[in-house]
């Protein structure tokens, strides 16, 4: 097994001397190639801060984050931008598609920046579009698509450059239950078909039940860990609910 993400004893402080807030408190874990890991925790637990630090959007105060054998905490700004562009894929809650581009053009943009050949771009987009069932929207603009379609286009865009790690921030947050299920089924397909490594932050137990493993964050620390193993998704969901209840979260979501 190849370790894609290694987080070593990281800390993150906000504020100034005399008024410091510790958002992350000595967190360590690793993610293997092809793993689909979920991060859960109540509001203010540090899960979003953790995602921001792994995604290079924010910097840590101490510790190390290694992605695909590169310590991103040591990279300078230009090198970090290049690394982010080539090694990371992003799926945001609000899609972040460019309104003036079609779905095809939104997906192709990253490959165009990397100066891929048009024939290569076309073949890769057709392949991923088929797996995500978005072939019929490739020539549409974002305003012509449903929320679920836009999020699947965003998923295709995140995957198209074959990144080392895909980071998903509340990917179902803006979707209804039917669109959420379709998106999660699609992400599961991407994980299996492309061996894509996915780290997903979510507050929703149903969404989290698609992951292979869940890390629960509380007060900036890892509170608990659940591994799905051979459990059915429904069994795993029930185990997630038990931990969420201990964390003081919302257990009202049902399968």
């Amino acid at each position: 097994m190849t370790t894609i993400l290694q987080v070593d004893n990281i800390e993150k402080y906000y504020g100034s001397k005399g008024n410091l807030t510790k958002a992350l408190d000595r967190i360590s874990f690793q993610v293997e190639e092809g793993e689909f890991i979920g991060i859960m925790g109540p509001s203010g637990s540090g899960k979003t801060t953790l995602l921001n630090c792994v995604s290079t959007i924010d910097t840590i105060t101490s510790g190390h984050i290694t992605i695909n054998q590169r310590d991103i905490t040591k990279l300078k700004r230009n090198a970090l931008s290049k690394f982010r562009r080539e090694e990371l894929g992003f799926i945001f809650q609000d899609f972040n598609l460019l309104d003036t581009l079609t779905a095809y053009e939104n997906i192709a943009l990253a490959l165009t920046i990397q100066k891929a050949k048009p024939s290569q771009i076309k073949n890769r987009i057709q392949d991923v579009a088929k797996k995500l069932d978005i072939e019929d929207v490739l020539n549409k603009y974002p305003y012509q698509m449903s929320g679920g379609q836009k999020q699947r286009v965003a998923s295709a865009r995140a995957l198209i450059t074959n990144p080392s790690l895909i980071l998903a921030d509340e990917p179902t947050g803006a979707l209804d239950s039917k669109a959420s299920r379709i998106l999660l089924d699609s992400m599961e397909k991407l994980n299996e078909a492309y061996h894509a490594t996915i780290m997903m932050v979510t507050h929703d137990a149903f969404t989290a039940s698609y992951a292979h493993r869940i890390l629960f964050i509380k007060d900036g620390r890892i509170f608990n860990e659940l591994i799905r193993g051979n459990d059915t998704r429904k069994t795993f969901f029930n185990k997630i609910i038990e931990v969420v209840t201990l964390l003081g979260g919302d257990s009202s979501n049902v399968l």
Side-chain angles (χ1 to χ4, degrees):
M1 262 307 188
T2 301
T3 299
I4 293 296
L5 171 65
Q6 181 77 47
V7 176
D8 289 316
N9 208 35
I10 65 170
E11 294 184 316
K12 175 64 179 178
Y13 291 91
Y14 289 110
S16 55
K17 189 175 181 180
N19 188 29
L20 285 177
T21 299
K22 182 180 276 191
L24 298 176
D25 187 2
R26 298 189 299 277
I27 285 182
S28 297
F29 65 93
Q30 63 185 41
V31 179
E32 305 300 327
E33 184 179 9
E35 191 173 8
F36 188 168
I37 184 171
I39 308 292
M40 297 190 76
S43 179
S45 62
K47 62 183 186 297
T48 299
T49 300
L50 175 61
L51 183 75
N52 288 343
C53 290
V54 171
S55 69
T56 73
I57 292 171
D58 203 352
T59 57
I60 58 175
T61 304
S62 64
H64 295 276
I65 298 174
T66 304
I67 299 175
N68 201 17
Q69 301 182 338
R70 293 190 69 183
D71 188 341
I72 65 172
T73 61
K74 295 180 179 179
L75 297 179
K76 302 301 182 183
R77 185 162 65 176
N78 289 342
L80 199 58
S81 296
K82 184 174 185 292
F83 179 86
R84 187 186 302 122
R85 186 170 61 247
E86 295 178 352
E87 298 289 338
L88 302 179
F90 297 91
I91 304 174
F92 303 97
Q93 181 176 334
D94 57 357
F95 321 127
N96 276 23
L97 299 178
L98 295 175
D99 293 332
T100 56
L101 301 181
T102 64
Y104 184 97
E105 291 165 340
N106 266 285
I107 299 168
L109 185 59
L111 289 176
T112 303
I113 292 171
Q114 292 183 0
K115 299 182 180 179
K117 295 179 180 179
S119 58
Q120 181 186 24
I121 294 173
K122 183 178 179 180
N123 291 337
R124 287 170 71 172
I125 290 178
Q126 287 177 337
D127 181 58
V128 73
K130 185 175 181 179
K131 285 185 171 62
L132 289 172
D133 194 24
I134 52 172
E135 293 170 289
D136 59 339
V137 302
L138 287 178
N139 293 319
K140 292 183 178 181
Y141 291 91
Y143 75 89
Q144 298 172 308
M145 294 182 269
S146 68
Q149 289 169 334
K150 285 189 278 191
Q151 195 60 298
R152 278 179 281 150
V153 169
S155 299
R157 180 187 58 188
L159 180 78
I160 201 68
T161 57
N162 296 320
S164 298
L165 179 65
I166 294 175
L167 299 162
D169 185 10
E170 300 281 6
T172 62
L175 305 179
D176 61 30
S177 58
K178 181 181 178 181
S180 294
R181 189 184 291 269
I182 292 172
L183 172 68
L184 291 165
D185 286 341
S186 298
M187 290 178 67
E188 195 170 51
K189 285 180 186 177
L190 294 179
N191 174 249
E192 293 171 357
Y194 294 97
H195 211 50
T197 308
I198 303 171
M199 177 175 154
M200 174 179 68
V201 166
T202 182
H203 70 281
D204 177 51
F206 173 75
T207 300
S209 68
Y210 278 78
H212 302 157
R213 178 166 60 111
I214 308 290
L215 293 179
F216 296 88
I217 309 294
K218 182 178 183 181
D219 299 329
R221 293 186 176 188
I222 294 177
F223 171 78
N224 204 342
E225 179 183 34
L226 282 181
I227 298 172
R228 181 171 172 178
N230 295 320
D231 285 347
T232 65
R233 195 164 55 76
K234 187 170 183 178
T235 299
F236 194 44
F237 170 85
N238 290 330
K239 290 181 179 180
I240 293 168
I241 288 294
E242 290 176 6
V243 180
V244 169
T245 302
L246 288 174
L247 283 167
D250 179 12
S251 59
S252 63
N253 296 304
V254 294
L255 285 172

